[in-house]
Amino acid sequence: MDFAHLLEKTLNGLGYELVDCQFAARGLLRVLIDKLDKEGGVDVEDCAAASRHLSRFLEVERVDYERLEVSSPGLDRPLKKAADFERFTGEEARISLRTPVAGRQRNYRGRILGLIDNQVRLLTEAGEVSVDLENIEKARLEPDFRQKEEN
């Protein structure tokens, strides 16, 4: 079982979703979490609770790290899994591909239309584009602050 899967299982037990984890320079382990219930965002208390639990968990699992940083994924949350593209259907996103679609373009910005047969559908200014989930190098939500101001 890989490390990310172990983290995901322990965080799910606390009511959190593992968004991303990475080992950074000088022994820093960075963990991004979100709430499983989708109600509200992650707050400081959530990060503190997850950090306390993960500190004990990492000690038991004998994971070599010096510092642990647990935080919210933020408004420009990374999209990593198929479930992320389903959950955030209707939201704006920026997507970078490993190889261009039809030899043309590697970077897209548009509204996520959904996920069908491992293809992420995206509505861009130029029209609808489908990209293979495995071809996505990096994807993030693109917050629309104008919409929030109008309400």
Side-chain angles (χ1 to χ4, degrees), residues 73-79 84-85 88-96 107-112 122-123 125 138-148:
L75 294 176
D76 63 340
R77 171 199 166 112
L79 305 170
D84 294 339
F85 291 96
F88 293 104
T89 294
E91 299 290 331
E92 293 284 324
R94 285 173 286 144
I95 296 176
S96 297
N107 297 308
Y108 292 91
R109 181 183 182 277
R111 187 164 310 281
I112 300 169
L122 194 68
L123 181 60
E125 288 182 3
K138 185 177 181 180
R140 287 188 166 275
L141 289 180
E142 177 117 323
D144 185 3
F145 296 108
R146 292 172 301 175
Q147 181 181 24
K148 305 255 189 270

Side-chain angles (χ1 to χ4, degrees), residues 111-125:
R111 187 164 310 281
I112 300 169
L113 298 176
L115 181 73
I116 298 175
D117 296 328
N118 236 24
Q119 295 284 315
V120 176
R121 293 178 36 242
L122 194 68
L123 181 60
T124 69
E125 288 182 3

